[in-house]
Every structure is written in structure tokens, then in C-alpha cells.
Amino acid sequence: MTTDRAHLEGEFFMSGDEACAEGAISAGCRFFAGYPITPATEIAERMSDRLPEVGGTYIQMEDELASMAAVLGASWGGVKAMTATSGPGFSLMMENIGLGLMMETPCVVANVQRAGPSTGLPTLVAQGDMMQARWGSHGHYSIIALSPSSPQEVYDHAIKAFNLSERFRLPVLVMTDGAVGHMYEKVVIQPRDKVHIVPRRKPKVPPGEYRPYEPDADLVPPMANSGEGYRFHVTGLTHDERGYPAMDAEAQDKLIRRLVEKVEKYSEEIIEMEEDGIDGAGVVICAYGITARVSLIAMERARSEGISVGMLRLVTVWPFPQKRIAEIARQVKAFVVPEINYGQISLEVERSAGGAAKTILVPHMGGAVHDPQVILEAIRQAAK
Amino acid sequence: MSELAVNSEKTRENHPLGEYLRTDRFPHIWCSGCGLGIVLSAFIRSLLNCGLALDKVAVVSGIGCTGRAAGYLKLDSFHTTHGRAIPFATGLKLANPELEVIVFSGDGDLAAIGGNHLIHAGRRNIDMTVLCVNNFTYGMTGGQFGPTTPSAARSTTSRAGNVENPFNMVGLAAASGAIYVARWTTAQVRQLERSTTEALQRKGFSFVEIISPCPTYYGRMNRQPTGLDQMRYYRANTVVKHFASPHEVGVALGGQIVTGKFIDTERPYLPHPQEGHDGA
Amino acid sequence: MKEWCKGCRFCVEFCPQHILYETDETNSRGYHVAAMADSSKCIGCEMCTMICPEFAIHVVTNGEEAGQEVK
């Protein structure tokens, strides 16, 4: 067993929430600002224990909105920072997630989704914030969101999220849910040297020449931290490369196009999926998060009934794998999209399929996971 | 008759504070007669008085006329969302305790939308200095009344006179737990500088309210149409009462303005020194 | 720095020696620029420099680079 408190190599029996905290710490996160909210509180609880052990800071702010602001401040202070919340808090964070996008601030927001809207079912699972994850803040932008299906994946995705946030210099969302968050399973933490950690991309020019928004070739600007003598200015206003306010359509076009393209142009590098038996399948289940695991049971039953069915599991939800969906749509009759909402990612599947294949939503209003039988029934219908 | 100064590039640079300003962005956007430039000037002089390593100074502003202050300073400066300068600054300070963090924002930003964060930062006694420029209005959005607008004062959203009672910012900051609380007007530039210097030197949540003219809206709608009118009003109606009770120094329309240092104490602050590994 | 002056006349009002005045000369933005009547009475207190919201005026001693006032 390791004594390195910053990386607890070994095998553990952990909840998804706890795994989220450990993954963040392994990724180098040294600041957590949050607010208690079921079912994400355990992330905050573990962070409040563990961060002081590794020289980090835990602060419980007065609300989720302040938590998001504090995370942005900490990131600019030179520290990898995150917050974790659920629906109601996620809604409060939207404006400052937008600030994080505009200031291009690396950080991670975990959303352990619960049934909404409003207070809803605070302790029970849902996946109803997926469109909010993509479009929740105002204005047009691109964002990255991952969707883990197990505590092990929550651990892995916390690391992946920090790496993506530093690589692309923006907030990255870990869209988990109450079921995965509160589920206990084995979590294996690899030896430290096996875990790839992306450091912050520092300026290559001296302070006098540094411009906080002058991008490298990949459209991502190097990032100075406060206190290093760069004396930079950053703002939520539309700005030029120097970070100075630029109140005109021309600056807006240049800036917003870059903020979107820096993600979309590299979606191939970002997008991750898991495929099982898609070639030759008549029907493909497209699922994510906890619902992807429930769908496995339905898939096995369907296959035992001789139905040719495959599974496409979305590991990253945003940017959405529209190209891959379009390809599959030409080979299959229908997509079956089970999700614990009344149709969100199914809309993206339908859009991407472009009519080449049907998209059959298997909705669930929240508060429980699907009954596999309901998904099986949909697969049978789709296969007809 | 003396010769007038030559309007040369050299002149622009050799203003004593020129090197601390983003002079490439001057003249600034604030209206003629607005007091914000005075506060900015006093703030820079205070920084210099403290002998701070300017590379370690971070200024965070919210939204509003005052919100533009950070952008004029040649320092690490952050122009955040409306009301959220203080929590942003909290994260910045806790993550990097070596930084001297200053929040430079207005009355609407700090006391209305940001009021919850103000009182919690005071409660926690986060080690930062808040400069609250109080011009009794939302200037950037066109002159609406705000949380500090005196009762009966007119504004674009209280044309018949403000029916609400305002916050007394000094009382609010003191009640929340700030360890240094002072109020000055922009007509008291030397006291403002001395007090800001003290605030920067304190360990803990320091709050300085600076009453400042807004000729374009608040002044024009309340019989003081120019900055000069308001500055003259300040000079004629300001008294200094150090350590007066912070709860009895409210500002009434046309009334007396009590200024001075009201609180100057010590309390455990965040980040904790040993944990925060910044010097004693 | 004539160009930065916005004609607010704070310096004129607050100069203890009352040697500053508003001229008829306007800068490119149409503001009446302030100027000094009698530099010999200037005591170098820098009130004008501190009270100016525009950083448009500062005190220079004899022989220094020309500031707003010059001997």
C-alpha cells in the first residue's frame, strides 16, 4: 500500500462520489469549493478530509454560485480546482461557468444528477441535465462533458476532465448521476507513473510580451497564473488578444469562433465511445451513464432471442459523436436511446442519424433506473 | 503667464503613476466629474506606500462603472461577473496566499447582487481588501437606484423618490465581521490614501467605502448636476468621527456624511498563516 | 496631459493656492483644459495631482521634463 497521500495507489471499495474526489486529487486538484447538496455531498466530504493532507484547500462557500466563482479564482491563482454539485446547484453555476468559458479557465465541475426539475427527488437518480450541460449558460459556446458509468470511471473521468480542461483551457463537466455516485464498487488506482497528467500550458514569452488570449496553433492560448509577474488582464467582456475589452462585432466574431473551434476542431481527439457488436447489428442501443449498464441486461436478453443488437456507449457526451452516429445510421434500422429524462441525447442521435435510421427514445422520468424489460421491449419493436 | 505643458508622448509617461496604469487604454471611460479616477489614483499610491511586490498584487472587479477599474491597472487584474468579485477573490487568495488580493467594485455590485458574498467574506474574515466605491446608483446601466441610494432620492427607477431604506455600508461591513472598516469621500484624498494603505496592511477582511460623485445620473437627478457640485457638497457636509458607532453613520439625502475609521481590530483570518504559508 | 483632461475643474477647486483656472482652450474632445496662472505660487502640494480623476495633471519641479505646468 502506498504512503503517497497524493496518489492512493491500490484497490479500493469506493462510491462514485468518493472516487470522484480521489481521481481529482490524483489529477493534481488542490482546491475544492462547494456547497452541500445531495447526492454530491460525499465528494465535498471526502475533499474536506483529503485536501488538507496534500496541501490543498477545501472551502464551503455560501452557495454554489460563489463556489463556481471561487473555483475560477483558484484556477487563476495557479491551482487545479473543482466543484461538485447536483441539479439545483448546477443551475446556480451557469453564469460563472460562462465566465470560465470566456476567461478560458481550466477547472472541473462534477454534476451528480438527481431527479428534477427544481427540488425534485433529491436522493434519486436522473439524467435530466444533459442539455443544460451543453447550453445552460447564455451565449454560444462549446464545452466538454464526460459521462461515467461506474465508480472506476468516475475516478478515471475526474483525471480525464482535469487533463482536458488544462489541454483546452476551459471548464470540463463530469456528468455523473445519483446511482453511480452512491454505488460502491471496486476502484483500482494505478501506480502514479502510469497515470498521465496534463500540466498547465505556460507562456513561452516573457511577461512584457505575454497576451492572455493570443492562441497557439491549436487555438488554445498559454495561461499565466496570478503572481508570476505577467500582470495580465482577463475579463468576461468580449476582449482582444491582450484581454482588453473590445466592444465590437469584429472582436466578438474572432473570439467566439475561436472558443467554439478550439473544441469542435479537436472533437476527434476528445470524443470517446465504447462499442460492442455494432457491425452487422440491426439495432444499436445508444446509452450513457448508469443507463448504459442497465441496457447491457436488455441487450443480452435480446441477443438470446436472436435479435442482432449492438451497443454504443457515450463516454464523452459533449462534443457529441455525430459523425459516428451518422455512419452507424447507414448500417442499422434503428437506434434505441434509453435515458433517464424525456428525450435529450435522443434528440442529438436523431439529428445525427439524419433520417437514415429511426431513433427510438426509451424515456424514464427519474427516481429510478430503467427496468431492462422496458428497454428490451423497445429493442424488439425496433428490430421488427 | 506660464507656458502650457507640451502634449508629448513623454509627458504621458512621466505622470508619477503612469507606469502602473494601462495608459494605452487612456483616457478612461469614466464621465467628467466622476470620482472613480480619484479612487484609482489613491489606490495606486497606497500600494506604493505599502511597498508591496506588485507582481504579487491581484485586483478583482465586478460589473459596473467601478468594475472597469481593474482593467486600467498594470497588475494581475480580473473583471468578473456582477456581484461575484468577492467569491472569485476568495478562491484566488486561498489558492495562492502569497497574493495581496484587492476587490475594487461598486455599491450595486458589492451590496445588491453581491451582498451575500460580502457578508460571508466578512464572517470568514478572508484576508483581502475591499474598496467599495459608493456613488449611490447603478451608473453603468443608466442611473437606477441601488441598495445604498438614500430614501427619497430620485433615480431612473425611482423618479418620484426612492421608497426603500438604504444599507449603511459601514454598518453592514462591521456587522459581517470585517476587522477594518472606514469611509471617506473622494474629496478627502489624503485620508483616503492613508486609510487604504492601512487597509492593505491589515491581515483579514478590510473594507473601505468611498463616497464618490456620479454627475451623469445620481447628481443630475438630485440637484447636484456636476461632479464639482457633489465634491463641494462633500466638503461642506463631511465630518470625521473616528471609531463612531458604525451603525449610526447612515447617509441621508442632503444630510451629513460621517467619515473616518470606524473599526480597526484583529481576528483570526483565512487563510490561516501556518496553513497559508505566507509570511508573518 | 491636456488630452486626458475632461474639464471637471476639481483641480481648480481644490488647489490651495488657487492658481489653477479653466481656460477657453479645448482639447480634441471639447473639454475646457485647466492651466496654471502663476507657477511661482505653486507649493508642490500635489493636491491637483491627487484630486484629478483623469491623471491629466501632475507637479513638476523646475527644469524637469515638462508636465502640465512648466517654468
Side-chain angles (χ1 to χ4, degrees):
Chain A
M1 270 301 285
T2 171
T3 55
D4 173 2
R5 300 306 294 165
H7 186 76
L8 302 182
E9 183 190 333
E11 292 184 4
F12 302 86
F13 187 59
M14 252 183 209
S15 71
D17 279 0
E18 289 164 341
C20 182
E22 281 313 318
I25 289 174
S26 294
C29 171
R30 290 298 177 268
F31 185 91
F32 181 96
Y35 191 82
I37 184 168
T38 307
T41 312
E42 290 82 353
I43 300 175
E45 286 172 344
R46 187 159 183 116
M47 279 304 217
S48 67
D49 294 336
R50 291 278 288 119
L51 277 175
E53 289 176 13
V54 292
T57 303
Y58 168 86
I59 183 162
Q60 197 163 285
M61 296 297 283
E62 49 273 19
D63 53 42
E64 289 90 348
L65 193 158
S67 302
M68 192 62 221
V71 162
L72 298 179
S75 185
W76 282 100
V79 163
K80 291 186 177 181
M82 77 172 288
T83 185
T85 190
S86 186
F90 197 47
S91 295
L92 287 176
M93 292 181 176
M94 282 302 135
E95 186 189 3
N96 280 333
I97 284 175
L99 180 61
L101 289 160
M102 196 64 154
M103 281 187 169
E104 298 182 81
T105 311
C107 61
V108 170
V109 179
N111 178 0
V112 189
Q113 296 173 85
R114 76 195 206 179
S118 188
T119 313
L121 298 167
T123 61
L124 299 179
V125 63
Q127 295 176 311
D129 309 346
M130 300 312 289
M131 279 298 177
Q132 182 177 23
R134 177 65 185 86
W135 297 109
S137 202
H138 54 282
H140 194 105
Y141 54 89
S142 276
I143 199 161
I144 298 172
L146 310 175
S147 184
S149 296
S150 66
Q152 177 69 55
E153 266 207 326
V154 176
Y155 174 86
D156 299 335
H157 283 197
I159 295 172
K160 202 194 301 281
F162 272 104
N163 286 345
L164 287 167
S165 76
E166 294 292 343
R167 159 79 179 83
F168 292 99
R169 223 185 113 175
L170 83 171
V172 172
L173 311 176
V174 177
M175 298 300 291
T176 180
D177 55 67
V180 172
H182 281 174
M183 165 195 297
Y184 278 77
E185 278 185 340
K186 183 162 91 171
V187 174
V188 176
I189 298 181
Q190 302 293 337
R192 178 186 274 270
D193 51 27
K194 288 223 173 55
V195 179
H196 171 54
I197 303 293
V198 173
R200 187 152 296 179
R201 183 188 303 195
K202 300 301 289 167
K204 307 171 195 64
V205 296
E209 294 158 31
Y210 175 63
R211 292 159 160 243
Y213 295 109
E214 188 171 357
D216 287 345
D218 63 0
L219 303 179
V220 179
M223 179 175 172
N225 299 325
S226 188
E228 292 172 345
Y230 284 92
R231 303 200 190 180
F232 54 86
H233 179 65
V234 290
T235 176
L237 283 171
T238 295
H239 45 268
D240 60 25
E241 291 193 348
R242 296 169 299 177
Y244 287 4
M247 297 293 96
D248 55 65
E250 193 196 334
Q252 173 81 355
D253 182 272
K254 201 171 164 219
L255 175 62
I256 304 308
R257 232 178 252 279
R258 180 173 66 76
L259 293 182
V260 173
E261 292 304 327
K262 80 175 179 180
V263 174
E264 302 304 327
K265 209 172 130 190
Y266 294 89
S267 47
E268 294 314 317
E269 179 188 329
I270 300 166
I271 290 172
E272 270 188 59
M273 291 166 287
E274 223 176 59
E275 302 190 5
D276 175 356
I278 286 184
D279 291 338
V283 174
V284 165
I285 301 167
C286 181
Y288 56 93
I290 189 64
T291 311
R293 296 181 64 167
V294 174
S295 304
L296 290 176
I297 304 164
M299 183 162 71
E300 275 148 30
R301 288 183 190 161
R303 283 179 174 165
S304 65
E305 293 174 7
I307 299 174
S308 77
V309 53
M311 163 90 105
L312 174 71
R313 183 170 75 91
L314 305 177
V315 173
T316 54
V317 176
W318 309 113
F320 190 75
Q322 51 195 20
K323 219 178 280 164
R324 184 62 184 129
I325 297 282
E327 280 164 17
I328 298 171
R330 286 193 287 278
Q331 307 161 359
V332 301
K333 244 189 296 193
F335 289 100
V336 168
V337 184
E339 50 186 334
I340 309 175
N341 56 53
Y342 211 165
Q344 293 185 17
I345 295 304
S346 59
L347 301 175
E348 287 294 301
V349 174
E350 193 170 3
R351 176 182 65 79
S352 306
K358 274 192 308 181
T359 300
I360 299 167
L361 164 67
V362 185
H364 190 300
M365 297 310 124
V369 293
H370 286 79
D371 169 358
Q373 205 54 34
V374 171
I375 301 173
L376 175 58
E377 195 45 50
I379 294 169
R380 286 180 184 142
Q381 293 303 324
K384 279 208 173 76
Chain B
M1 259 292 289
S2 67
E3 239 175 85
L4 288 183
V6 173
N7 175 10
S8 65
E9 195 53 42
K10 185 81 186 52
T11 318
R12 179 193 302 256
E13 278 319 319
N14 65 17
H15 183 284
L17 306 180
E19 64 183 289
Y20 310 105
L21 294 167
R22 298 190 191 278
T23 47
D24 49 352
R25 297 195 58 215
F26 275 67
H28 55 59
I29 64 163
W30 297 318
C31 308
S32 165
C34 169
L36 274 164
I38 299 173
V39 183
L40 190 64
S41 180
F43 169 61
I44 297 172
R45 293 196 310 277
S46 307
L47 281 181
L48 301 176
N49 295 341
C50 294
L52 289 164
L54 295 184
D55 284 352
K56 297 290 182 188
V57 173
V59 181
V60 185
S61 283
I63 297 296
C65 296
T66 315
R68 290 303 197 99
Y72 291 119
L73 291 163
K74 207 177 274 181
L75 301 166
D76 289 345
S77 51
F78 303 88
H79 186 205
T80 65
T81 39
H82 193 33
R84 319 307 174 185
I86 285 181
F88 185 98
T90 300
L92 191 61
K93 177 67 180 182
L94 295 182
N96 191 340
E98 277 177 3
L99 295 174
E100 183 73 34
V101 173
I102 297 99
V103 169
F104 199 135
S105 227
D107 46 304
D109 188 78
L110 290 168
I113 187 168
N116 192 27
H117 311 306
L118 172 67
I119 56 175
H120 283 277
R123 170 180 64 80
R124 293 192 188 100
N125 202 18
I126 305 278
D127 181 18
M128 67 170 67
T129 299
V130 174
L131 301 181
C132 172
V133 179
N134 181 5
N135 57 9
F136 303 118
T137 187
Y138 286 99
M140 184 64 84
T141 45
Q144 300 75 32
F145 73 93
T148 61
T149 305
S151 305
R154 295 179 194 285
S155 75
T156 58
T157 46
S158 63
R159 290 202 188 277
N162 179 23
V163 296
E164 294 185 9
N165 286 316
F167 270 137
N168 155 19
M169 291 306 293
V170 163
L172 182 64
S176 71
I179 49 101
Y180 184 92
V181 177
R183 168 194 290 149
W184 303 100
T185 72
T186 48
Q188 298 161 300
V189 285
R190 294 190 196 281
Q191 298 96 320
L192 171 58
E193 178 186 330
R194 198 180 316 123
S195 186
T196 304
T197 305
E198 284 180 348
L200 288 168
Q201 287 161 344
R202 293 297 180 273
K203 279 291 176 189
F205 192 70
S206 311
F207 182 86
V208 179
E209 175 189 8
I210 307 108
I211 291 182
S212 170
C214 170
T216 305
Y217 292 110
Y218 186 74
R220 181 162 53 84
M221 299 191 77
N222 291 287
R223 294 191 198 83
Q224 293 173 345
T226 72
L228 203 51
D229 294 329
Q230 288 176 279
M231 291 284 262
R232 284 176 177 151
Y233 171 79
Y234 296 158
R235 276 220 297 209
N237 294 278
T238 299
V239 293
V240 178
K241 284 187 189 158
H242 292 303
F243 299 109
S245 159
H247 305 294
E248 277 138 31
V249 292
V251 180
L253 188 61
Q256 189 183 66
I257 300 173
V258 179
T259 60
K261 174 165 59 173
F262 303 100
I263 302 275
D264 189 358
T265 179
E266 277 180 60
R267 213 161 46 82
Y269 55 88
L270 288 179
H272 293 310
Q274 76 283 7
E275 188 194 329
H277 50 64
D278 60 352
Chain C
M1 176 34 65
K2 286 191 316 179
E3 266 312 300
W4 289 3
C5 174
K6 288 182 183 158
C8 68
R9 288 182 284 125
F10 286 178
C11 58
V12 174
E13 174 80 11
F14 280 79
C15 169
Q17 301 296 93
H18 303 297
I19 53 173
L20 297 175
Y21 68 99
E22 183 183 55
T23 66
D24 298 336
E25 184 203 348
T26 59
N27 61 21
S28 66
R29 296 147 61 90
Y31 290 114
H32 286 279
V33 174
M36 182 156 68
D38 178 355
S39 54
S40 66
K41 291 209 185 87
C42 174
I43 56 173
C45 69
E46 292 198 313
M47 178 52 84
C48 58
T49 309
M50 291 190 288
I51 205 77
C52 173
E54 314 300 330
F55 301 90
I57 185 172
H58 65 276
V59 174
V60 291
T61 50
N62 292 3
E64 220 186 344
E65 176 52 49
Q68 176 70 3
E69 292 75 34
V70 69
K71 284 290 168 305

